[in-house]
Amino acid sequence: MAATALPDTLGADAVALLRDLIRINTVNPPGNERAAQEMLRDLLSEAGFECDLLCMEPDRPNLVARLRGREPGPSLALICHVDTVPAEPSEWTHDPWSGDLEGDYVWGRGALDMKDQVASEATACLALARSGWRPARGDLLFVCTADEETGAHKGAQYLCSEHPDKVRCEMVVNEGAGVAIDYDGKRFFTVAVGEKGVFRFHARTHGIAGHASLPAVGDNALLKIAPLLERLREQPEPEATPDTLAFLETLLGEAPSDLRGALAEIRDKNQLLGDLLASPMLGVTLTPTMASGSGKINVVPSMAQVAVDCRVPPELGEDDVRKRIRAVLGDNGYDIEFIETVVGNRSDFGGPLAEAIAEWVDEVEPGAQVLPLVMPGFSDSHWFRKAFGATVFGFCPQNAMTLDEAVPLVHGADERVATADVALMANCFFELPRRVLGE
Ligand SMILES: [Zn+2]
C-alpha cells in the first residue's frame, strides 16, 4: 500500500475546528463539555471511528473514538482534554470565546491549553480515516476527556478505572511539552516523559491557648510557625534522577559534574529555561501557600499551621519526602500531616513511539534534537501509566511561538496560538499513528 499523503488542507482544517471548539464554552467548573464532545463524536463517527461518550455526569461526557486496525497489536491513543480554566473577559482584547483569527493567531480560552491539541489530533484522525488508512496492527484511539482542570475525577481517572476495556492502550501521546527551545546555538523539541508527584501537607506547631489580652499567659503556636516559614525560603538540596541527568546531558552536551553548577550555567544562558524546566526537575520543591492560627482575634492559638504544596520527582514516596522536609525544617518543633499524596510516574523514552517522535522532529527540523523532561505539574498521562503501564509522552510540537511567549498565556489573559503551530501539530498527529501502527 502506498504511503498515505498529507492533505493540503490539514492545517487550515485544524485551525477551523479549533475556532469552533473555542466558541463552545467549556470552562471548568462547571465544564459542560457535552456540546463539544458531541460535535467531535459526529465528525469522527462519520469518518469511520467507533465512538462512545462515557460519563459520570450527563453534561460531562468523555469521548473515546477507536479506529480498528487490520491485525491485533499494541494500540496508540492520542489523548487530550476539552475543558478549560475560567477567563475574565474584561482582561482580554478579544472575547475569550470568540475564536477570532487575527495576526496569524487564533484567540480564545483553550487556544494553548489545550483545544489546539484537541483540534489538531481530531483533524489528523479525520484525515487518516477519510483517506482509507487503517492501522496495520493495533488500534488508533482518540480520547478526549472532560474535567482535567479540576483533577480528572470525572475524566481520565474515571475512564481508566471504570472503563478500562474502552481505553486500554500501550502507547499514549498527551499534552505537557513540545515547544521548541533554542539553547547554546542548538534547537530542541521538548518531550514530557513523566510528571512529578504531589505531596501536599500541613506543618503544625502547638502551644497553649489563652486570652489575647494577656500575651504572657499561654504559649502562642502562631509565633512558632514564623521560623518554619523562614526556613522554607530554602529548597531541599538538588538531586539527580536518571531523567534529570539525561535532560542535562542532552542540553549541555556532556554529563554535569555538579548540579548547582549546571543549573547556574543554564540560567546564565537562558533564565526561563532554567527556572521553568531545569530547576523544578532537580528534586523536591516546597512552596508554602496558606497559613492559619487562631479562629478568633482575641484567643492565643494553641495550634497553628502552614499548608505546603510539595512536588516530588517521579517514583519517590512518603518516606523520601519526609527526609527532604526534615532536611529543610529540622527534626523537632512541629508535626506533619499529609493531605494529598500522589506518587509521580514516568515512562522510559524508548520504543516505537519515541523513535517515531525523534524521526518526525528530524524531518521537520533537520539537526533539531528531542529533549526529554519531567513536568513539574500533573496531567492525565499519570492515569494511563498507572492503569495500563502505558508508555506515555507529552508532545504537542510548536516552533512558531517561543516558550516565553506561550507560558504567560496558558491560564492567562489573551491566550492565543499561532496558526502555523496548529498546522505543525496536525502534521505531527497525522504522521505518528502511521509510523507507530503501520501503513
Ligand atoms: Zn491542559
Side-chain angles (χ1 to χ4, degrees), residues 61-393:
N62 298 278
L63 170 62
V64 180
R66 178 183 298 271
L67 192 64
R68 283 202 191 274
R70 296 194 296 273
E71 303 278 340
S75 292
L76 169 70
L78 303 180
I79 72 170
C80 50
H81 65 84
V82 79
D83 61 319
T84 70
V85 294
E88 175 45 55
S90 65
E91 295 166 2
W92 289 57
T93 54
H94 289 251
D95 181 88
W97 300 281
S98 65
D100 281 349
L101 187 62
E102 193 198 281
D104 297 327
Y105 291 91
V106 177
W107 297 67
R109 177 53 85 223
L112 287 168
D113 183 15
M114 65 175 295
K115 286 179 173 174
D116 54 345
Q117 191 166 350
V118 177
S120 49
E121 286 181 356
T123 303
C125 285
L126 289 169
L128 284 167
R130 285 173 183 158
S131 75
W133 174 83
R134 295 294 179 270
R137 62 210 162 262
D139 297 348
L140 172 63
L141 279 79
F142 170 79
V143 180
C144 185
T145 66
D147 196 39
E148 195 269 352
E149 295 290 359
T150 53
H153 304 294
K154 297 166 188 144
Q157 190 179 5
Y158 158 80
L159 284 178
C160 290
S161 66
E162 301 305 313
H163 297 281
D165 293 339
K166 293 283 185 190
V167 293
R168 181 170 286 112
C169 54
E170 284 70 25
M171 294 166 281
V172 176
V173 179
N174 184 26
E175 65 177 340
V179 180
I181 52 172
D182 294 311
Y183 182 81
D184 211 12
K186 285 183 288 213
R187 171 155 278 212
F188 300 90
F189 276 84
T190 52
V191 176
V193 298
E195 291 88 38
K196 291 178 87 173
V198 183
F199 283 73
R200 296 184 169 129
F201 64 88
H202 287 144
R204 292 204 177 102
T205 53
H206 299 276
I208 299 165
H211 198 285
S213 64
L214 303 167
V217 179
D219 178 21
N220 194 331
L222 192 55
L223 295 172
K224 299 176 182 173
I225 279 286
L228 293 186
L229 271 173
E230 193 55 39
R231 280 175 222 148
L232 284 167
R233 285 182 190 280
E234 299 295 322
Q235 293 297 325
E237 277 296 303
E239 53 188 311
T241 64
D243 292 320
T244 329
L245 289 174
F247 170 87
L248 294 173
E249 204 172 327
T250 308
L251 197 63
L252 303 173
E254 59 184 7
S257 51
D258 92 288
L259 294 173
R260 282 188 192 279
L263 185 58
E265 186 186 334
I266 294 168
R267 279 208 171 109
D268 205 37
K269 291 192 172 126
N270 185 334
Q271 175 89 31
L272 194 73
L273 177 57
D275 289 345
L276 283 182
L277 303 183
S279 167
M281 279 177 66
L282 288 172
V284 172
T285 57
L286 301 169
T287 308
T289 52
M290 299 189 286
S292 60
S294 176
K296 284 196 85 186
I297 195 164
N298 62 352
V299 176
V300 171
S302 60
M303 191 272 281
Q305 66 182 22
V306 56
V308 180
D309 190 335
C310 167
R311 305 297 176 113
V312 177
E315 295 172 349
L316 294 189
E318 193 174 309
D319 288 347
D320 305 302
V321 179
R322 281 186 186 276
K323 259 184 232 154
R324 308 313 188 269
I325 294 171
R326 274 201 300 276
V328 173
L329 292 185
D331 292 326
N332 306 310
Y334 64 95
D335 55 53
I336 293 289
E337 188 197 3
F338 285 99
I339 47 179
E340 194 181 335
T341 58
V342 180
V343 176
N345 58 24
R346 60 176 296 285
S347 303
D348 283 328
F349 192 70
L353 182 56
E355 280 163 29
I357 290 173
E359 231 178 74
W360 179 86
V361 163
D362 193 56
E363 278 172 29
V364 294
E365 288 212 25
Q369 267 179 283
V370 166
L371 180 63
L373 55 82
V374 170
M375 284 218 311
F378 194 75
S379 83
D380 281 347
S381 299
H382 179 87
W383 307 111
F384 284 81
R385 289 198 196 94
K386 194 172 174 185
F388 313 122
T391 296
V392 188
F393 301 133

